Amino acid sequence: MRIIHDLDEITETARGWLAGGPVGFIPTMGDLHAGHASLIQAAREECEYTIVSIFVNPLQFGNDVGIVRAPHDIARDLQFLDAQQVDVVFLPRAEEMYPANFSTRVMFSGPLAERLEGGFQPEYVLGYATVITKLFQLIRPDVAYFGRKNAQQVALIRQVVRDLNIDVKVRVLPIARDADGLALGSATTILSAAERQAANLLYQALLAAKALLERGERRLALIEQAMIDVTAAAPLLKLDYATACDPVTFAPPGDTLPEILTDLLLLIAARMNGLRLTDNILLRDGHWQM
Ligand code: AMP
């Protein structure tokens, strides 16, 4: 496994592979877990070469870096990636990604930029759209792999790729969960027992909303309230939002959902002791994807 820090070197390496077969790319922020491993696995099966990047993008967090509580153990991440038989790990340096004269941003508008994650972390959308465009430009992967865990991020990437005509196939994989349903995340590996129990209520809340929808409830306020009620059992959890939206545009569904549901995203986000937790379930073509 090669470790590359240098921007020119990653571009040169990826271009050198052009004739050898498809390149799969998995952007991450480190603190790797089984969710990341599922993306790597898919890339290894479908592509000739696999590149994983680890970069905590300063542009994306604004003043909110505090939500990343865990100290990043890069040695552990590298061991993890070596065991997954990744070809290259790309660890760009922030000062090279954003030199002093850096001044271009990928701007965004509409519900995808302004609602939910866009509302709670305004820096996030602009920063993420910009960094992912830079990474795509540097590596020019054939396929890029993402988890549906970050549903808004996925919608954003699809929009950027479409709007800027970026030549990459976007593959989205299901959410890796623990046996009790908790969506794996960097935060979930460092939870205390009490935090772990509270965190699991996010998934339970989504299931409660799903059950209501299946019983024919269509009033958005009642579906949201069902999720709020479930999470209220853990005062540790500070809910950012619990709602439903269009899975592509992230537009709100209106006060009353249509009688016949085809596509709908139920999503929830909360803070707990300086950590941020998110989860979602997706109704796609009338079938639930957990
Ligand atoms: P992050 O390191 O948090 O930026 O995540 C990197 C990628 O891993 C993103 O595409 C995430 O959606 C994906 N990911 C994170 N957690 C999970 C999970 N539990 N299941 C599947 N993919 C995940």
Short mmCIF file of all heavy atoms in Angstrom, two decimals, residues 26-30 32-33 35-36 38-39 128 145-150 153-154 173-177 183-186, ligand 1:
data_model
loop_
_atom_site.label_atom_id
_atom_site.label_comp_id
_atom_site.label_asym_id
_atom_site.label_seq_id
_atom_site.Cartn_x
_atom_site.Cartn_y
_atom_site.Cartn_z
N ILE A 26 -12.57 6.35 -2.62
CA ILE A 26 -13.41 6.48 -1.43
C ILE A 26 -12.88 7.62 -0.57
O ILE A 26 -11.87 7.48 0.11
CB ILE A 26 -13.39 5.16 -0.60
CG1 ILE A 26 -13.89 4.01 -1.46
CG2 ILE A 26 -14.23 5.28 0.66
CD1 ILE A 26 -12.90 2.93 -1.66
N PRO A 27 -13.57 8.76 -0.61
CA PRO A 27 -13.14 9.87 0.26
C PRO A 27 -13.62 9.65 1.69
O PRO A 27 -14.79 9.30 1.90
CB PRO A 27 -13.80 11.10 -0.36
CG PRO A 27 -14.85 10.60 -1.29
CD PRO A 27 -14.69 9.13 -1.48
N THR A 28 -12.74 9.85 2.67
CA THR A 28 -13.12 9.70 4.08
C THR A 28 -12.47 10.80 4.92
O THR A 28 -11.58 11.51 4.45
CB THR A 28 -12.66 8.35 4.69
OG1 THR A 28 -11.28 8.46 5.07
CG2 THR A 28 -12.83 7.19 3.73
N MET A 29 -12.90 10.84 6.18
CA MET A 29 -12.25 11.75 7.13
C MET A 29 -11.50 10.96 8.20
O MET A 29 -11.20 11.49 9.27
CB MET A 29 -13.30 12.64 7.78
CG MET A 29 -13.97 13.56 6.77
SD MET A 29 -14.84 14.91 7.54
CE MET A 29 -16.10 14.04 8.42
N GLY A 30 -11.24 9.68 7.92
CA GLY A 30 -10.50 8.86 8.89
C GLY A 30 -11.40 8.29 9.97
O GLY A 30 -12.62 8.28 9.82
N LEU A 32 -11.66 5.12 10.73
CA LEU A 32 -12.34 4.18 9.84
C LEU A 32 -13.02 3.05 10.60
O LEU A 32 -12.57 2.63 11.66
CB LEU A 32 -11.32 3.63 8.84
CG LEU A 32 -10.63 4.74 8.03
CD1 LEU A 32 -9.53 4.16 7.15
CD2 LEU A 32 -11.62 5.53 7.19
N HIS A 33 -14.13 2.58 10.05
CA HIS A 33 -14.92 1.51 10.68
C HIS A 33 -15.53 0.64 9.59
O HIS A 33 -15.27 0.85 8.38
CB HIS A 33 -15.98 2.12 11.59
CG HIS A 33 -16.83 3.17 10.92
ND1 HIS A 33 -17.79 2.87 10.00
CD2 HIS A 33 -16.80 4.53 11.01
CE1 HIS A 33 -18.36 3.98 9.57
NE2 HIS A 33 -17.77 5.01 10.15
N GLY A 35 -18.32 0.58 8.19
CA GLY A 35 -19.05 1.30 7.14
C GLY A 35 -18.11 1.66 6.00
O GLY A 35 -18.41 1.44 4.82
N HIS A 36 -16.94 2.19 6.35
CA HIS A 36 -15.94 2.51 5.32
C HIS A 36 -15.49 1.24 4.61
O HIS A 36 -15.29 1.22 3.40
CB HIS A 36 -14.71 3.19 5.95
CG HIS A 36 -15.01 4.50 6.62
ND1 HIS A 36 -14.98 4.67 7.99
CD2 HIS A 36 -15.36 5.71 6.12
CE1 HIS A 36 -15.28 5.92 8.28
NE2 HIS A 36 -15.52 6.57 7.18
N SER A 38 -17.10 -1.37 3.94
CA SER A 38 -18.05 -1.86 2.93
C SER A 38 -17.85 -1.11 1.61
O SER A 38 -18.01 -1.68 0.53
CB SER A 38 -19.49 -1.74 3.44
OG SER A 38 -19.87 -0.39 3.55
N LEU A 39 -17.48 0.16 1.69
CA LEU A 39 -17.24 0.94 0.46
C LEU A 39 -15.95 0.44 -0.22
O LEU A 39 -15.89 0.31 -1.45
CB LEU A 39 -17.11 2.43 0.76
CG LEU A 39 -18.21 3.12 1.58
CD1 LEU A 39 -17.95 4.62 1.65
CD2 LEU A 39 -19.58 2.88 0.97
N TYR A 128 -17.87 21.16 1.54
CA TYR A 128 -17.83 19.79 1.03
C TYR A 128 -17.85 19.77 -0.49
O TYR A 128 -17.11 19.03 -1.13
CB TYR A 128 -19.00 18.95 1.61
CG TYR A 128 -18.79 17.50 1.27
CD1 TYR A 128 -17.84 16.75 1.96
CD2 TYR A 128 -19.45 16.90 0.21
CE1 TYR A 128 -17.58 15.43 1.62
CE2 TYR A 128 -19.20 15.59 -0.14
CZ TYR A 128 -18.27 14.86 0.57
OH TYR A 128 -18.01 13.56 0.22
N TYR A 145 -17.19 6.05 -4.37
CA TYR A 145 -18.08 5.29 -3.49
C TYR A 145 -18.45 6.11 -2.26
O TYR A 145 -17.58 6.68 -1.59
CB TYR A 145 -17.40 3.99 -3.05
CG TYR A 145 -17.17 3.05 -4.21
CD1 TYR A 145 -16.06 3.21 -5.03
CD2 TYR A 145 -18.07 2.05 -4.51
CE1 TYR A 145 -15.86 2.38 -6.12
CE2 TYR A 145 -17.88 1.21 -5.59
CZ TYR A 145 -16.77 1.38 -6.40
OH TYR A 145 -16.58 0.56 -7.47
N PHE A 146 -19.75 6.12 -1.96
CA PHE A 146 -20.26 6.84 -0.79
C PHE A 146 -21.28 5.98 -0.06
O PHE A 146 -21.88 5.09 -0.65
CB PHE A 146 -20.93 8.15 -1.23
CG PHE A 146 -19.99 9.07 -1.98
CD1 PHE A 146 -19.91 9.00 -3.36
CD2 PHE A 146 -19.17 9.95 -1.30
CE1 PHE A 146 -19.03 9.83 -4.05
CE2 PHE A 146 -18.29 10.77 -1.98
CZ PHE A 146 -18.22 10.71 -3.35
N GLY A 147 -21.45 6.28 1.23
CA GLY A 147 -22.47 5.57 2.01
C GLY A 147 -23.73 6.42 2.08
O GLY A 147 -23.64 7.65 2.12
N ARG A 148 -24.89 5.78 2.10
CA ARG A 148 -26.15 6.55 2.23
C ARG A 148 -26.30 7.14 3.63
O ARG A 148 -27.19 7.93 3.89
CB ARG A 148 -27.34 5.65 1.89
CG ARG A 148 -28.53 6.45 1.36
CD ARG A 148 -29.80 5.64 1.37
NE ARG A 148 -30.23 5.40 2.71
CZ ARG A 148 -30.54 4.21 3.21
NH1 ARG A 148 -30.45 3.14 2.47
NH2 ARG A 148 -30.91 4.09 4.47
N LYS A 149 -25.39 6.76 4.53
CA LYS A 149 -25.38 7.33 5.88
C LYS A 149 -25.44 8.86 5.82
O LYS A 149 -26.13 9.50 6.59
CB LYS A 149 -24.10 6.86 6.59
CG LYS A 149 -23.77 7.55 7.88
CD LYS A 149 -24.48 6.85 9.00
CE LYS A 149 -24.12 7.30 10.39
NZ LYS A 149 -23.33 8.46 10.58
N ASN A 150 -24.67 9.43 4.89
CA ASN A 150 -24.67 10.89 4.71
C ASN A 150 -25.53 11.21 3.49
O ASN A 150 -25.02 11.51 2.42
CB ASN A 150 -23.24 11.40 4.51
CG ASN A 150 -22.33 10.99 5.65
OD1 ASN A 150 -22.06 9.80 5.83
ND2 ASN A 150 -21.88 11.93 6.42
N GLN A 153 -25.16 14.59 1.73
CA GLN A 153 -23.86 14.65 1.06
C GLN A 153 -23.95 13.93 -0.30
O GLN A 153 -23.46 14.43 -1.30
CB GLN A 153 -22.85 13.93 1.96
CG GLN A 153 -21.42 14.15 1.62
CD GLN A 153 -20.56 13.36 2.60
OE1 GLN A 153 -20.49 12.15 2.54
NE2 GLN A 153 -19.92 14.05 3.51
N VAL A 154 -24.62 12.79 -0.30
CA VAL A 154 -24.77 12.02 -1.53
C VAL A 154 -25.56 12.82 -2.57
O VAL A 154 -25.17 12.90 -3.74
CB VAL A 154 -25.47 10.67 -1.23
CG1 VAL A 154 -25.97 10.02 -2.50
CG2 VAL A 154 -24.54 9.74 -0.48
N LEU A 173 -23.80 3.14 -1.38
CA LEU A 173 -23.99 1.84 -0.72
C LEU A 173 -24.85 1.99 0.54
O LEU A 173 -24.93 3.08 1.13
CB LEU A 173 -22.63 1.24 -0.40
CG LEU A 173 -21.94 0.81 -1.71
CD1 LEU A 173 -20.45 0.79 -1.57
CD2 LEU A 173 -22.46 -0.53 -2.17
N PRO A 174 -25.48 0.88 0.96
CA PRO A 174 -26.36 0.94 2.14
C PRO A 174 -25.62 1.31 3.42
O PRO A 174 -24.39 1.23 3.48
CB PRO A 174 -26.91 -0.49 2.25
CG PRO A 174 -26.47 -1.22 1.05
CD PRO A 174 -25.38 -0.47 0.39
N ILE A 175 -26.37 1.63 4.44
CA ILE A 175 -25.80 2.01 5.73
C ILE A 175 -25.38 0.74 6.49
O ILE A 175 -26.21 -0.16 6.67
CB ILE A 175 -26.83 2.80 6.56
CG1 ILE A 175 -27.25 4.07 5.80
CG2 ILE A 175 -26.27 3.15 7.95
CD1 ILE A 175 -28.34 4.88 6.49
N ALA A 176 -24.12 0.68 6.90
CA ALA A 176 -23.67 -0.43 7.75
C ALA A 176 -24.14 -0.15 9.17
O ALA A 176 -23.89 0.93 9.71
CB ALA A 176 -22.15 -0.56 7.68
N ARG A 177 -24.83 -1.14 9.76
CA ARG A 177 -25.41 -0.96 11.10
C ARG A 177 -24.90 -2.03 12.05
O ARG A 177 -24.57 -3.14 11.63
CB ARG A 177 -26.94 -1.06 11.04
CG ARG A 177 -27.57 -0.03 10.15
CD ARG A 177 -29.10 -0.15 10.14
NE ARG A 177 -29.70 0.88 9.31
CZ ARG A 177 -29.89 2.14 9.70
NH1 ARG A 177 -29.58 2.50 10.94
NH2 ARG A 177 -30.41 3.04 8.89
N ALA A 183 -26.58 2.97 13.33
CA ALA A 183 -25.76 3.24 12.14
C ALA A 183 -24.32 3.50 12.58
O ALA A 183 -24.09 4.37 13.42
CB ALA A 183 -26.32 4.45 11.40
N LEU A 184 -23.39 2.75 12.03
CA LEU A 184 -21.99 2.94 12.41
C LEU A 184 -21.51 4.31 11.95
O LEU A 184 -21.85 4.76 10.87
CB LEU A 184 -21.12 1.86 11.77
CG LEU A 184 -21.41 0.44 12.21
CD1 LEU A 184 -20.55 -0.53 11.41
CD2 LEU A 184 -21.13 0.28 13.70
N GLY A 185 -20.70 4.93 12.79
CA GLY A 185 -20.11 6.22 12.44
C GLY A 185 -18.86 6.40 13.26
O GLY A 185 -18.65 5.65 14.23
N SER A 186 -18.04 7.36 12.88
CA SER A 186 -16.81 7.58 13.64
C SER A 186 -17.14 7.85 15.10
O SER A 186 -16.45 7.41 16.01
CB SER A 186 -16.03 8.75 13.06
OG SER A 186 -15.76 8.47 11.71
P1 AMP B 1 -16.63 10.06 6.65
O1 AMP B 1 -15.30 9.47 6.95
O2 AMP B 1 -17.53 10.15 7.83
O3 AMP B 1 -16.55 11.32 5.84
O4 AMP B 1 -17.34 8.99 5.70
C1 AMP B 1 -16.75 8.58 4.51
C2 AMP B 1 -17.73 7.77 3.72
O5 AMP B 1 -18.11 6.64 4.47
C3 AMP B 1 -19.00 8.55 3.39
O6 AMP B 1 -19.40 8.27 2.06
C4 AMP B 1 -19.98 8.00 4.39
O7 AMP B 1 -21.32 8.06 3.92
C5 AMP B 1 -19.52 6.56 4.49
N1 AMP B 1 -20.02 5.96 5.73
C6 AMP B 1 -19.89 6.42 6.99
N2 AMP B 1 -20.55 5.63 7.87
C7 AMP B 1 -21.13 4.65 7.12
C8 AMP B 1 -21.96 3.53 7.42
N3 AMP B 1 -22.34 3.25 8.67
N4 AMP B 1 -22.36 2.75 6.40
C9 AMP B 1 -21.99 3.01 5.13
N5 AMP B 1 -21.21 4.05 4.77
C10 AMP B 1 -20.79 4.86 5.75
#
